[in-house]
Amino acid sequence: MPLARSLSVTSLSGLEEWDEEFDLEDAVLFEIAWEVANKVGGIYTVIQTKARLTAEEWGENYFLVGPYVESNVRTQVELIEPTNPVLKRTIDKMNASGCKVYFGRWLIEGSPYVVLIDVAFTAWSLDRWKSELWELCDIGVPWFDREANDAVLFGFLTAWLLGEYVAQSEEPPHVVAHFHEWLAGLGLVLCRHRQLPVATIFTTHATLLGRYLCAGNVDFYNNLAEFNVDKEAGDRQIYHRYCLERAAAHCAHVFTTVSQITAIEAEHLLKRKPDVVTPNGLNVKKFSAVHEFQNLHAQSKNRIQEFVRGHFYGHLDFNLDKCLFLFIAGRYEFSNKGADLFLEALARLNYLLRVNHSDVTVIAFFIMPARTNNFNVETLKGQAVRKQLWDTAQTVKERFGKKLYESLLVGQLPDVSKMLDKEDFTIMKRAIFATQRQCQPPICTHNMLEDSSDPILNCVRRIGLFNSSADRVKIIFHPEFLSSTSPLLPMDYEEFVRGCHLGVFPSYYEPWGYTPAECTVMGIPSISTNLSGFGCFMEEHIADPTAYGIYILDRRFRGVDESCNQLTSFLFQFCKQSRRQRIIQRNRTERLSDLLDWRYLGRYYISARHMALAKAFPDTYLYEPHDPTSTTGFRYPRPASVPPSPALSRHSSPRHSEAEDNDEDERYDEDLEAEKDRVNIRQPYSMPFKNKLSTANGANGSSDGDASEKN
């Protein structure tokens, strides 16, 4: 099935600078999501990172709406009195009517205002509101589905908030309400049913049914048009959730989703084609020194190496300087996230490295939270042994240094045979004996509650990668999110990613894919798929993604075995790169970070809001989208240092030179290549925000010259 374009294409030049401006002075934006100041999944990252740009655009008229979770509020939100008088009257009225609504600033970049609603406090209204939902929409929510019950409470409360805000306003306001995901979608449906003067937007970051179907090992993308959606949702006992999601998609003035691949999915499963595709971005922080991120990589890699020294104590028979760190991270969905394919490819990579007598060792980390009861004793012991060895070495070094110092003081060269006495050798021998180990290094760093049925551990048992000395591929399963306070691997996720060499995300179902995007921003190459939003986005914007360290795995038009062979080939070619080639590739990868900056990608959200205002208030706002077929968008060219012949540039990796360590033989100028890449992408600009018909009409048709001067 071809990838059809939505109304606004996801090529960055598909939305040019607007010739007319939008006046947002009397408009108010409410962005509503269950993950406002409440981290559950990827939507939290979207809203958190986008907040600064949106706050700059809307100023004091931007409010995030989410659930009140006390544990999160204590650490993330500064509660204050509402600064907006209309909103203050609204909150006071709701609190006087039996609700608990809080106002504050979310302590993130941009410091946006947040309105937090205590859902549990109004649980006494649940049965009444569920009855009303049945009467209005014929949607019945079962009593045992707590998440859906929360969605009902949150939906009615947000609709109440918006309705009360409109009622408390002295003049009719221009309100934009942007709802994220099905958990917030009911509020949108109620706003439209009550005919509130609110411009509504609904964004689905992943369809409910799509996630469930893919988790059930269904040939999803080849059968999108064939699914009986009502039956499939009913069979999985999510029909009520599906109805809420589909109703929100159809009631919204503007329906958006995060990628072209998800747009196709939404068109078939939710029966509405998205109006705008809104790719997810990140706040990209540029370093003043060009190679500073390479230094951060080296520092973080050293910390990972320290962990590896402890984990593999007694079996550290490989060279850490020739060791590559690969990782996969995210929600523990074994098939959807591609962990099954990654493990199978690692088994095949292990065979290739062994038969080719490679001196490279690959350590693959699986960072996926699962149910555990504690750290593995053997893993903790490894870190204790490593620390003991370090302390022993420091003790002997101090004794050695003192004797050397005293010998030099008297003007004599030291007698090396007398520098270490019998006691020193005894200390060192005891330390060496302490590193002896009768068992293999553990696969899992924690004690799993369901060890016998865990899919990753069962797959490891099947492929036989048990971290033995003969294996060139080692596996470490860390079933917990990383934290700098962990006694095992005390690193934040960002630090850990910077220290790795390659991120591997061969997902089968990935509407966007923040993990490979984060790798790109940090200058770490990654493997994604053409079934992920990120992979499709990069294929569209880069002439040769692999040359820039973005490997796109074909899982759409190839079978599982063929995809696995392709992934193995990517990994094997990466292992054959020299250290210098990896440095060059990281430089190229980091230069792509501009593509993922909210300064660029935020314009799609701006476009969606303008479109919603024009649809809800046609007498006041005008929006004319550009013709998506009139522009093809720009693409990063192939780097000049990569040979043009496909035979020579296999997988488009930097060319392997026999004299790879000789700088003069490497025809590569980092500054020159960076300058060429910078030419291919415009610098971020400030978005114009004034385009109100009343302004244009009041000026009696101001000249185009005046408009151009303002821009």
Side-chain angles (χ1 to χ4, degrees), residues 564-581:
C564 190
N565 284 334
Q566 186 186 20
L567 177 56
T568 306
S569 178
F570 284 159
L571 296 175
F572 187 55
Q573 292 299 322
F574 188 82
C575 291
K576 289 165 68 176
Q577 289 184 7
S578 67
R579 180 174 177 272
R580 177 168 176 78
Q581 288 170 328

Side-chain angles (χ1 to χ4, degrees), residues 65 353 390 406 485:
V65 181
L353 293 175
W390 174 259
E406 290 174 349
T485 59

Side-chain angles (χ1 to χ4, degrees), residues 31 33 35-54 62 64 106 108-109 112 178-181 203-206 256-258 278-283 511-515 517-518 596 598 601-602 605 609:
E31 193 158 4
E35 296 198 32
V36 169
N38 177 39
K39 186 169 185 178
V40 178
I43 302 170
Y44 176 90
T45 306
V46 176
I47 295 169
Q48 181 196 40
T49 55
K50 184 172 62 65
R52 184 182 67 180
L53 184 73
T54 314
Y62 175 48
L64 287 159
W106 192 3
I108 57 173
E109 283 190 87
H178 191 157
F179 298 82
H180 292 267
E181 282 297 300
T203 297
T204 179
H205 297 260
T256 80
T257 189
V258 296
T278 51
N280 291 332
L282 289 162
N283 288 329
W512 175 246
Y514 255 123
T515 40
E518 289 166 336
L596 302 169
W598 274 122
L601 300 184
Y605 278 90
R609 292 192 285 266

Side-chain angles (χ1 to χ4, degrees), residues 323-487:
C323 188
L324 299 180
F325 301 135
L326 279 53
F327 81 99
I328 182 173
R331 189 185 290 109
Y332 195 177
E333 295 177 3
F334 184 63
S335 299
N336 279 1
K337 296 298 182 184
D340 53 349
L341 200 70
F342 186 28
L343 282 166
E344 183 62 38
L346 287 174
R348 299 181 186 188
L349 174 66
N350 184 53
Y351 171 79
L352 288 175
L353 293 175
R354 290 176 64 177
V355 298
N356 285 278
H357 305 291
S358 174
D359 58 356
V360 172
T361 301
V362 171
I363 297 181
F365 290 87
F366 288 74
I367 313 295
M368 292 179 157
R371 296 180 63 202
T372 64
N373 59 15
N374 214 329
F375 293 108
N376 187 308
V377 173
E378 189 64 26
T379 308
L380 286 173
K381 181 183 175 184
Q383 299 308 312
V385 168
R386 177 194 62 78
K387 188 176 184 307
Q388 182 185 3
L389 280 174
W390 174 259
D391 292 342
T392 300
Q394 293 299 108
T395 301
V396 173
K397 185 177 77 171
E398 288 177 8
R399 292 162 65 97
F400 183 93
K402 187 177 180 181
K403 292 177 182 177
L404 176 63
Y405 171 68
E406 290 174 349
S407 177
L408 294 175
L409 273 179
V410 297
Q412 295 180 356
L413 288 175
D415 185 352
V416 178
S417 61
K418 295 180 180 179
M419 295 301 289
L420 293 175
D421 55 27
K422 186 178 291 186
E423 185 179 352
D424 293 326
F425 280 103
T426 301
I427 292 173
M428 290 189 288
K429 285 179 181 178
R430 288 179 60 183
I432 292 172
F433 289 163
T435 64
Q436 293 181 357
R437 196 182 212 170
Q438 303 303 320
C439 60
Q440 301 283 12
I443 299 290
C444 188
T445 58
H446 293 60
N447 295 323
M448 301 290 290
L449 287 179
E450 298 168 350
D451 183 289
S452 60
S453 60
D454 183 78
I456 287 181
L457 295 181
N458 280 340
C459 188
V460 168
R461 294 176 185 118
R462 180 180 61 81
I463 61 180
L465 286 179
F466 298 121
N467 293 343
S468 68
S469 298
D471 290 328
R472 296 267 54 80
V473 173
K474 321 286 186 180
I475 293 175
I476 298 175
F477 179 24
H478 189 281
E480 195 175 74
F481 284 129
L482 296 171
S483 169
S484 58
T485 59
S486 169

Side-chain angles (χ1 to χ4, degrees), residues 26-28 165-175 197 617 620-621 692:
D26 62 346
V28 179
Y165 184 89
V166 171
Q168 294 290 338
S169 301
E170 296 174 359
E171 296 181 4
H174 298 110
V175 177
F617 309 106
T620 309
Y621 292 95
K692 199 174 177 187

Side-chain angles (χ1 to χ4, degrees), residues 613-630:
L613 280 168
K615 286 186 177 183
F617 309 106
D619 296 333
T620 309
Y621 292 95
L622 172 67
Y623 174 76
E624 295 179 358
H626 292 271
D627 180 5
T629 60
S630 64

Side-chain angles (χ1 to χ4, degrees), residues 149-263:
N149 289 335
D150 286 343
V152 171
L153 291 168
F154 189 56
F156 272 88
L157 287 166
T158 52
W160 186 354
L161 176 76
L162 294 171
E164 194 65 46
Y165 184 89
V166 171
Q168 294 290 338
S169 301
E170 296 174 359
E171 296 181 4
H174 298 110
V175 177
V176 182
H178 191 157
F179 298 82
H180 292 267
E181 282 297 300
W182 72 275
L183 278 163
L186 180 56
L188 187 154
V189 176
L190 293 171
C191 285
R192 296 307 303 276
H193 183 271
R194 296 171 183 176
Q195 298 182 343
L196 297 179
V198 175
T200 57
I201 306 170
F202 181 66
T203 297
T204 179
H205 297 260
T207 67
L208 272 169
L209 196 52
R211 194 178 292 281
Y212 273 84
L213 286 168
C214 288
N217 295 321
V218 173
D219 188 4
F220 182 64
Y221 292 98
N222 290 323
N223 293 290
L224 264 176
E226 311 300 327
F227 289 120
N228 181 339
V229 290
D230 295 312
K231 179 181 182 301
E232 296 291 350
D235 289 345
R236 287 159 179 78
Q237 298 184 2
I238 58 165
Y239 187 66
H240 53 289
R241 298 186 181 193
Y242 169 73
C243 288
L244 291 173
E245 181 181 42
R246 183 167 168 176
H250 282 268
C251 289
H253 288 105
V254 174
F255 174 44
T256 80
T257 189
V258 296
S259 64
Q260 289 291 349
I261 196 77
T262 315

